[in-house]
Amino acid sequence: QVQPVESGGGLVQAGGSLRLSCAASRSFFGINAMAWYRQAAGKQREFVAAITSVGSTNYADSVKGRFTISRDNAKNTVCLQMNSLKPEDTAVYYCAVHAIGGTTWGQGTQVTVSS
């Protein structure tokens, strides 16, 4: 098992956009789904979005219509396009790989949205 690596976090003003990327492994073989979670300071980690091995997607109600999760099989990456960002989206975003044998987590990338 290889730990996923997130990138693309940073600072953005409210209403702006960011695109996060997660490099899962050399291939998606054996992966059931990949998902994004986030954890704000002093809060519990919460689900954001997920995509299965066949391309089905699921989103938290708080991000529906603003965030889009996608998968690139050729590059073995999963991205999270975040539009119309709000200060409430500020958190550390984590990529989770749900594969055969268990789940592995990335180190996280900070997203800060200023008002």
Side-chain angles (χ1 to χ4, degrees), residues 20-99:
L20 305 183
S21 180
C22 175
S25 63
R26 295 181 179 180
S27 75
F28 285 130
F29 180 78
I31 297 176
N32 297 319
M34 294 183 64
W36 288 94
Y37 295 78
R38 66 187 182 186
Q39 185 170 21
K43 303 295 183 180
Q44 292 183 309
R45 187 172 300 183
E46 65 175 349
F47 169 79
V48 176
I51 186 167
T52 71
S53 61
V54 296
S56 299
T57 59
N58 190 30
Y59 298 92
D61 289 339
S62 60
V63 305
K64 286 182 179 178
R66 300 189 298 120
F67 292 9
T68 302
I69 188 170
S70 61
R71 186 188 70 222
D72 188 332
N73 290 336
K75 298 181 179 180
N76 299 324
T77 60
V78 169
C79 293
L80 183 69
Q81 179 67 45
M82 305 185 295
N83 298 325
S84 301
L85 284 163
K86 306 174 181 179
E88 294 76 27
D89 296 317
T90 296
V92 177
Y93 284 70
Y94 297 90
C95 178
V97 178
H98 302 291

Side-chain angles (χ1 to χ4, degrees), residues 10-15 18 85-90 111-115:
L11 302 172
V12 65
Q13 291 185 326
L18 283 174
L85 284 163
K86 306 174 181 179
E88 294 76 27
D89 296 317
T90 296
V111 171
T112 302
V113 184
S114 62
S115 60

